[in-house]
Amino acid sequence: MARRREEQERRDHRKLGSELDLFSIHEEIGGGLISWHPKGAVLRFQIETYLRGLLDDDGYQFVYTPHVASEKLYERSGHLENYADLMYGAMDIEGNPFRAKPMNCPNHIMIYKTHLHSYRELPIRLAEFGTVYRFEKSGVLHGLLRVRGFTQDDAHIFCRMDQIQEEITKLLRLASRVYKDFGFAKIKSFLSTKPPQSAGDPALWAEAEKMLRAALDAEGFRYEVDEGGGAFYGPKIDLKIEDAIGREWQLCTVQLDFTLPRKFDATYRNDKGGEDQVVMIHRAILGSFERFVGVLIEHYAGNFPLWLAPVQVKVLTVNTEVEAAARELWAKLRHAGLRPAIDAGPDKVGYKVREATLERIPYMVVIGPKDVAAGTLSLRLRDGTQVAAVSPEELIEKLLLEVREKRLTPVFKA
Ligand SMILES: [Zn+2]
């Protein structure tokens, strides 16, 4: 037990976040509001870029929506009635009440509704890395894991009833791929079914639940069923991952919704020329970038795999003689698309190695006069492993391979 607590403390993302210069929280700005530092921003940007690529391949279209909206929107969506507790108070704009956005869903429906859609156009998948603000008491705030402002990797899929299974299948595949790429091998799934108090036709619920089960079964997901645990507006699937020390984190929710489209009168033209109500699927794979990065920091104890590491390789000089050669190597690495740093200062190389180790930089290149004469370099891995006589070309080639394949173990250790 003491061991586990020690391990948790060693991995605490708040401590590592400050040591690795990733993010900060300031009383002057407000509790639960995150300031991302340059290195944290690089990490987040890698995650966003990676995800954007996958979503693009899966037929999502990206949108941006405002951070505040008229209260009228939340009256219609039912948020004011059902979620007032998690919303911040109204701000007055020319006598009209506005609210900070607690969810992106109503905004995406408004975009969907700007066109009349035919059944043939569906599904329409609108994605947004959408920043939302939710009320949390100061006592429960916790680093990146429990915050007041966060950016969800949100999306809403507008589809027909008969498309649900295929969309859920795609989502399960996407989530598995994403978790695997980030180094989470174990996934637990949960299906929540119709609660006693629910909106919508029971036949619709039964049909939807059947499709969710079929998708989970077909993709080989073993799941627990939470009978009656669904929201009143539709059944849902939750996915949890397990981190390096066996803790479970719920990241993904796939929520079917028959109610919001009805409230907003969101329809499509069916094959008989009539109008049918569209089905809406709310889903996030990572949840929010804040929380996910918090989980990642703790999972890796700050030792990010190369493709995510804010600084991937640091060039260290032994003396001033080799500075020009070190700068040349730095430029080559950068030109190759890697994220290098350089320490050509007057400190002893032993000190420079210790610093880079504390920064948890995956690779250190130590350059001395012998290396320059031989045209090779000496490599030092984060765990202390040393590799001698590596050519700059080999280094670049192998690091790019490690990044491209999102390897979890360094190529130089394989
Ligand atoms: Zn939503």
Side-chain angles (χ1 to χ4, degrees), residues 103-106 108 152 154-156 257 260 280-283:
M103 289 182 185
N104 306 301
C105 341
H108 291 184
Q152 298 176 301
D154 205 3
H156 294 96
D257 191 342
L260 211 54
M280 191 173 179
I281 304 173
H282 309 254
R283 113 286 175 277

Side-chain angles (χ1 to χ4, degrees), residues 95-365:
N96 299 307
F98 278 65
R99 297 285 189 132
K101 174 169 74 173
M103 289 182 185
N104 306 301
C105 341
N107 297 67
H108 291 184
I109 290 202
M110 296 310 285
I111 294 175
Y112 174 84
K113 276 172 56 81
T114 54
H115 294 281
L116 185 64
H117 298 285
S118 137
Y119 68 98
R120 277 190 235 101
E121 280 172 70
L122 302 179
I124 288 173
R125 309 177 186 93
L126 299 182
E128 179 175 14
F129 293 160
T131 304
V132 296
Y133 299 91
R134 292 189 193 164
F135 182 83
E136 295 280 3
K137 290 203 171 109
S138 50
V140 301
L141 298 174
H142 185 84
L144 294 173
L145 298 180
R146 197 82 180 259
V147 292
R148 284 175 172 158
F150 53 95
T151 303
Q152 298 176 301
D153 65 315
D154 205 3
H156 294 96
I157 298 166
F158 298 91
C159 66
R160 306 186 306 257
M161 242 349 243
D162 65 288
Q163 293 175 316
I164 292 174
Q165 187 175 332
E166 196 182 333
E167 286 308 302
I168 301 298
T169 303
K170 277 176 86 109
L171 275 169
L172 292 173
R173 282 185 196 162
L174 178 66
S176 319
R177 158 98 192 262
V178 169
Y179 297 154
K180 189 174 141 281
D181 281 345
F182 282 106
F184 301 107
K186 278 193 196 161
I187 304 175
K188 272 194 183 172
S189 1
F190 302 84
L191 171 67
S192 302
T193 60
K194 187 173 170 299
Q197 298 285 327
S198 62
D201 180 357
L204 217 67
W205 272 85
E207 176 73 8
E209 284 175 14
K210 206 176 84 192
M211 287 193 268
L212 294 189
R213 281 174 198 270
L216 284 162
D217 290 335
E219 289 306 299
F221 277 73
R222 289 177 52 201
Y223 55 94
E224 281 175 35
V225 179
D226 181 3
E227 291 289 355
F232 72 92
Y233 48 88
K236 68 165 179 170
I237 293 173
D238 292 313
L239 301 181
K240 286 185 188 173
I241 51 106
E242 191 180 305
D243 75 5
I245 55 170
R247 290 175 300 179
E248 286 181 0
W249 303 89
Q250 194 203 312
L251 302 177
C252 171
T253 299
V254 178
Q255 172 76 62
L256 255 57
D257 191 342
F258 308 125
T259 295
L260 211 54
R262 183 168 45 74
K263 284 183 173 165
F264 280 90
D265 198 21
T267 59
Y268 64 92
R269 173 82 29 102
N270 65 28
D271 58 354
K272 295 178 184 67
E275 277 187 25
D276 283 343
Q277 191 192 291
V278 77
V279 176
M280 191 173 179
I281 304 173
H282 309 254
R283 113 286 175 277
I285 307 283
L286 304 179
S288 80
F289 292 102
E290 284 74 9
R291 189 159 170 280
F292 186 66
V293 166
V295 172
L296 269 189
I297 295 172
E298 303 212 352
H299 176 61
Y300 286 113
N303 296 303
F304 300 113
L306 194 67
W307 74 283
L308 291 170
V311 175
Q312 296 170 317
V313 48
K314 196 166 183 182
V315 183
L316 314 174
T317 55
V318 167
N319 59 31
T320 50
E321 258 173 68
V322 298
E323 187 175 334
R327 293 211 179 274
E328 198 185 312
L329 176 65
W330 177 87
K332 260 190 202 164
L333 292 164
R334 185 154 176 85
H335 189 71
L338 291 159
R339 295 187 292 276
I342 184 165
D343 187 348
D347 297 312
K348 288 250 182 341
V349 75
Y351 175 82
K352 292 178 183 177
V353 167
R354 268 196 305 282
E355 285 290 292
T357 307
L358 284 177
E359 291 172 76
R360 291 171 167 71
I361 295 172
Y363 289 100
M364 290 165 240
V365 175

